[in-house]
Amino acid sequence: MLLVSGAAAAHSSTAEAAGRPVQVVALGDSLSAGYMLPADAAFPAVLQKALQARGLDVTVANAGVSGDTAEGGLQRLDWSVPDGTDAVILELGANNMLRGLSAATTKQTLDTIITRLQARGIKVLLTGMMALPSLGKQYGDEFQAIYPALAQQHGVPLYPFFLNGVAQNPQLKLADGLHPNEAGVAVLVQNILPSVEALVVSVAPKG
């Protein structure tokens, strides 16, 4: 824990000394990558514009890969989250759920991702996901328990459901009924904005 805290302090000092925008990476799957949308309508781009409109000096990089499981995110973690990153929005697990993969294994993988990011002094905002009812109550309960448990374990903020405000509204989704359309992305950003703003402020240079 002391090593992680020391790394975080060193990273924060470096960011302050650099006098550069806060670097945020959205590490996720197709839900955050902007599946079937123009690049400037994807979640990271729209979120960056919203944050900048609130006077924050920040960039949000799109590290979403369609079809990625939590395991895929772990495999590409080092190059998807480059040195100089201040914070990560972690949006993974939906594809694990859709494939009915073990909730315990998914939790372990996300645990490893958060641990490695914190060891690098990178702050994390964890976004949760809900399981489809068709997968059964037991699996749903086990899967949905992953995110609050990890948030508590690692002391990271949790945004409980990434698709909040969109999941139950067909007008905010593409024809596949799964991914947000441009209007859906706007709703996602509006809803998560306070949580991300707090994350950015927590790593922004002081004074």
Side-chain angles (χ1 to χ4, degrees), residues 1 38 47 50 53 60 73 87 123 130-131 144 150 152 163 170 174 192:
M1 185 63 71
L47 177 62
V60 183
K123 291 203 173 183
M130 297 180 68
Q144 284 154 212
L150 287 174
Q152 182 176 18
L163 293 176
L174 298 175
I192 201 173

Side-chain angles (χ1 to χ4, degrees), residues 21-39:
V22 172
Q23 307 289 328
V24 177
V25 171
L27 179 67
D29 50 39
S30 56
L31 295 176
S32 59
Y35 177 75
M36 296 294 292
L37 299 178

Side-chain angles (χ1 to χ4, degrees), residues 5-204:
S5 298
H11 186 278
S12 178
S13 297
T14 301
E16 290 185 22
R20 55 168 174 74
V22 172
Q23 307 289 328
V24 177
V25 171
L27 179 67
D29 50 39
S30 56
L31 295 176
S32 59
Y35 177 75
M36 296 294 292
L37 299 178
D40 63 357
F43 171 77
V46 178
L47 177 62
Q48 177 178 303
K49 291 177 184 176
L51 291 166
Q52 291 175 344
R54 296 180 72 85
L56 296 171
D57 190 12
V58 58
T59 65
V60 183
N62 189 341
V65 173
S66 293
D68 233 2
T69 59
E71 291 71 28
L74 176 59
Q75 290 173 3
R76 62 184 175 88
L77 182 62
D78 291 339
W79 60 265
S80 291
V81 182
D83 290 343
T85 298
D86 298 298
V88 164
I89 302 168
L90 181 56
E91 181 276 307
L92 285 168
N95 287 310
N96 294 62
M97 178 270 295
L98 290 173
R99 300 174 191 182
L101 301 180
S102 163
T105 300
T106 301
K107 180 181 178 183
Q108 183 177 12
T109 304
L110 292 172
D111 180 24
T112 301
I113 291 174
I114 297 170
T115 298
R116 285 175 53 176
L117 290 172
Q118 289 185 325
R120 294 171 58 190
I122 298 171
K123 291 203 173 183
V124 176
L125 171 62
L126 180 62
T127 69
M129 182 53 55
M130 297 180 68
L132 295 175
S134 60
L135 293 170
K137 185 178 186 303
Q138 180 177 348
Y139 182 84
D141 289 346
E142 292 175 355
F143 180 83
Q144 284 154 212
I146 291 172
Y147 299 93
L150 287 174
Q152 182 176 18
Q153 176 183 338
H154 290 279
V156 301
L158 171 67
Y159 184 73
F161 183 36
F162 184 72
L163 293 176
N164 178 38
V166 173
Q168 303 301 324
N169 189 339
Q171 295 183 346
L172 298 178
K173 293 185 284 187
L174 298 175
D176 63 12
L178 294 173
H179 297 90
N181 57 24
E182 290 192 32
V185 170
V187 171
L188 293 181
V189 169
Q190 179 183 24
N191 289 339
I192 201 173
L193 188 60
S195 297
V196 180
E197 183 175 6
L199 179 73
V200 171
V201 169
S202 75
V203 298

